[in-house]
C-alpha cells in the first residue's frame, strides 16, 4: 500500500477557517503583477482573485491507479498548488491576464478546455491522477506529500502531452537563468518582488507539509489561495460544460505574515513574447543592482561550466535533486511563449 506521511495537514478551510475582510489600508495591493488600491478598488481586487482557478482537495473521484486513494485530503495540497500555478499559466496563455470569471455566465471554449485539463480523471492532462502517478517516477509513492521541486518536475513531464497548449518545461540549476538555452529551446524579500512583475504567476510553497498558492501581498502580508478544503469531485456535462462555482474562491482571500513563509518555494512567471522575457530579465537585473540583498536569480548568457550536464536537466528517471536547486521554465517553442518557475 502507498505510504502517507503522518505530518500532513488535514484541516478544512471552509469549515473551520475564519475569513477576514480585506484590510482598509493605503498601502498598495499587488496581485500577480497588477497594482490595486485597497481603499478605492476593493471590488476589482476581489474580482481578480475570484477569477484565479482554485484547486482544492477533492473526494469521491475514481481510485488513483485503479486501486489507490479516492480523495487527496491530507496529502495533495502541493499537488493542488501546482495545478493552480500551472492553471494560471494556461489562463494567461489562452485567455489573457485581464480575463475575469463571472458566476453563472456561459463559459468560453478556451476556459472549458483549461478546466477540463484538471478534472479528477485519469485521462485529463493535469489531473490529480496524472500528477500522483507521474510522481512515482520521481520517487514519490501515491498518497505521499510533495515538495515544490517534485511537483515542478512532474508538471514538466505532463506538459509534453498537452498538444493544445504546446508548453514544454526546461529545468536549470542553482537559480541560474541561462538566456542562451531559452533562445535555443524550440529569498522571502524576493518573494514580494515577484508579485510586482507583470509576468508574475505567483508562488507555491508555505510551511512544512502545508502548501498554499500565493498570488499577491499587501503590507507585510501575503495573499494566498488555500487548497485545504475537501469538495466533491465534479463531473462535466455531456456538452463538456463544467459546473465551476467550486473552482473559484468566492470568499475573502487568506493572508499570512511574510515572515512565516518557508524558504522552499517555486515562483512562476509567464512571458507572452521574447520582448516580455527581455523585460523580465531587465527587471531582475534592476532589482539586483538596486538592493543590497542577494538577487532573486542570476542571469547568464550561456551555461556556466559548474552546472551539470544537459541530460540531467531533462530529469531522467532516477536522478533527483533538492528543492533549493531548481529553476523551471514552461514555454512554447513555436510561439515564443513561456513560463519560468524558480525553486
Amino acid at each position: 500500500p502507498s505510504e502517507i506521511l503522518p505530518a500532513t495537514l488535514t484541516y478544512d478551510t471552509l469549515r473551520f477557517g475564519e475569513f477576514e475582510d480585506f484590510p482598509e489600508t493605503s498601502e498598495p495591493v499587488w496581485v500577480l503583477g497588477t497594482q490595486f488600491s485597497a481603499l478605492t478598488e476593493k471590488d476589482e481586487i476581489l474580482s481578480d482573485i475570484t477569477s484565479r482557478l482554485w484547486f482544492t482537495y477533492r473526494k469521491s473521484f475514481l481510485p488513483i491507479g485503479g486501486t489507490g486513494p479516492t480523495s487527496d485530503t491530507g496529502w495533495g495540497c502541493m499537488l493542488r498548488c501546482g495545478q493552480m500555478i500551472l492553471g494560471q499559466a494556461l489562463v494567461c496563455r489562452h485567455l489573457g491576464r485581464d480575463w475575469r470569471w463571472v458566476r453563472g455566465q456561459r463559459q468560453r471554449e478556451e476556459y472549458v478546455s483549461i478546466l477540463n485539463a484538471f478534472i479528477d480523471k485519469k485521462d485529463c492532462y493535469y489531473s490529480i491522477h496524472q500528477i500522483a502517478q507521474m510522481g512515482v517516477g520521481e520517487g514519490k509513492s501515491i498518497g505521499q506529500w510533495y515538495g515544490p521541486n517534485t511537483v515542478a518536475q512532474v508538471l514538466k513531464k505532463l506538459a509534453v502531452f498537452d498538444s493544445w497548449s504546446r508548453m514544454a518545461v526546461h529545468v536549470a540549476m542553482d537559480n541560474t537563468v541561462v538566456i542562451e538555452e531559452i533562445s535555443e529551446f524550440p529569498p522571502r524579500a524576493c518573494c514580494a518582488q515577484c508579485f510586482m512583475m507583470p509576468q508574475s504567476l505567483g508562488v507555491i510553497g508555505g510551511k512544512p507539509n502545508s502548501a498554499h498558492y500565493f498570488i499577491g501581498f499587501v503590507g507585510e502580508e501575503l495573499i494566498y489561495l488555500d487548497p485545504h478544503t475537501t469538495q466533491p469531485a465534479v463531473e462535466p456535462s455531456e456538452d463538456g460544460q463544467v459546473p465551476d462555482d467550486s473552482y473559484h474562491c468566492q470568499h475573502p482571500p487568506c493572508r499570512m505574515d511574510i515572515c512565516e513563509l518557508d524558504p522552499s518555494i517555486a515562483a512562476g512567471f509567464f512571458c507572452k513574447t521574447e520582448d516580455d522575457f527581455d523585460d523580465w530579465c531587465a527587471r531582475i537585473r534592476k532589482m539586483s543592482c538596486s538592493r543590497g540583498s542577494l538577487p532573486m536569480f542570476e542571469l547568464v548568457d550561456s551555461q556556466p561550466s559548474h552546472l551539470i550536464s544537459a541530460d540531467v536537466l531533462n530529469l531522467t528517471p532516477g536522478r533527483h535533486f533538492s528543492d533549493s536547486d531548481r529553476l523551471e521554465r514552461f514555454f512554447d517553442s513555436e510561439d515564443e511563449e513561456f513560463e519560468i518557475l524558480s525553486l
Side-chain angles (χ1 to χ4, degrees):
S2 299
E3 179 182 359
I4 300 179
L5 294 182
T8 52
L9 200 60
T10 57
Y11 67 87
D12 191 306
T13 306
L14 290 182
R15 291 177 60 195
F16 304 110
E18 295 182 2
F19 301 110
E20 300 179 6
D21 198 5
F22 214 79
E24 298 284 347
T25 176
S26 60
E27 294 189 82
V29 179
W30 287 92
V31 178
L32 301 179
T34 301
Q35 182 178 352
F36 297 95
S37 166
L39 300 177
T40 62
E41 298 178 294
K42 184 173 293 186
D43 288 345
E44 288 83 352
I45 295 171
L46 296 178
S47 174
D48 193 1
I49 293 173
T50 299
S51 297
R52 300 314 111 213
L53 292 176
W54 182 41
F55 296 117
T56 71
Y57 292 148
R58 296 277 173 174
K59 61 182 179 179
S60 303
F61 47 69
L62 292 176
I64 297 175
T67 58
T70 59
S71 173
D72 62 313
T73 300
W75 59 270
C77 57
M78 184 60 79
L79 284 70
R80 296 301 186 181
C81 289
Q83 287 181 323
M84 284 190 271
I85 197 168
L86 181 60
Q88 178 61 18
L90 295 180
V91 167
C92 291
R93 167 76 170 89
H94 298 290
L95 298 171
R97 173 63 182 87
D98 296 331
W99 172 84
R100 294 293 181 268
W101 176 76
V102 179
R103 185 177 186 179
Q105 181 173 294
R106 182 167 178 82
Q107 307 156 358
R108 286 176 54 177
E109 181 179 345
E110 297 91 341
Y111 169 80
V112 173
S113 295
I114 292 172
L115 207 52
N116 270 287
F118 295 94
I119 296 296
D120 299 314
K121 292 185 173 183
K122 64 178 182 179
D123 55 348
C124 296
Y125 288 131
Y126 307 112
S127 67
I128 194 76
H129 298 66
Q130 292 281 9
I131 297 176
Q133 291 185 283
M134 189 66 78
V136 173
E138 299 300 325
K140 295 291 186 180
S141 301
I142 295 175
Q144 188 174 355
W145 196 85
Y146 284 19
N149 172 54
T150 301
V151 76
Q153 294 184 23
V154 168
L155 293 175
K156 170 194 186 297
K157 293 182 176 180
L158 293 178
V160 173
F161 303 100
D162 184 357
S163 57
W164 176 55
S165 297
R166 303 193 311 278
M167 297 178 75
V169 177
H170 174 71
V171 179
M173 302 297 293
D174 299 328
N175 285 4
T176 301
V177 179
V178 182
I179 297 174
E180 179 184 75
E181 292 181 359
I182 288 187
S183 300
E184 291 178 354
F185 198 97
R188 293 189 181 98
C190 293
C191 180
Q193 298 170 26
C194 291
F195 302 113
M196 301 172 69
M197 297 185 180
Q199 299 89 352
S200 176
L201 293 175
V203 169
I204 57 176
K207 303 176 182 179
N209 297 323
S210 178
H212 304 304
Y213 174 39
F214 298 93
I215 59 174
F217 76 96
V218 53
E220 297 297 315
E221 292 184 314
L222 294 173
I223 303 166
Y224 66 91
L225 299 180
D226 191 342
H228 298 90
T229 293
T230 304
Q231 305 184 84
V234 170
E235 185 70 28
S237 60
E238 292 184 359
D239 64 357
Q241 294 291 306
V242 178
D244 64 345
D245 276 11
S246 66
Y247 286 102
H248 295 274
C249 182
Q250 299 177 60
H251 54 69
C254 302
R255 306 191 307 277
M256 68 176 266
D257 193 290
I258 194 169
C259 292
E260 299 177 14
L261 181 66
D262 188 272
S264 179
I265 61 173
F269 305 91
F270 180 87
C271 299
K272 182 79 172 177
T273 64
E274 186 175 352
D275 287 343
D276 284 344
F277 176 67
D278 291 341
D279 176 74
W280 181 85
C281 291
R283 291 172 184 270
I284 293 295
R285 291 190 176 104
K286 183 177 180 180
M287 286 192 298
S288 300
C289 293
S290 62
R291 299 178 182 270
S293 59
L294 291 174
M296 188 187 311
F297 303 106
E298 178 185 3
L299 299 181
V300 296
D301 290 326
S302 58
Q303 189 180 69
S305 58
H306 69 276
L307 292 184
I308 61 176
S309 59
D311 62 326
V312 177
L313 295 180
N314 289 330
L315 296 178
T316 51
R319 307 296 293 271
H320 307 294
F321 302 90
S322 65
D323 285 357
S324 61
D325 287 336
R326 297 293 183 184
L327 177 69
E328 171 185 51
R329 304 183 186 130
F330 291 87
F331 58 97
D332 177 348
S333 58
E334 295 185 18
D335 294 340
E336 295 182 326
E337 301 187 9
F338 49 90
E339 166 195 359
I340 300 175
L341 288 180
S342 68
L343 299 170

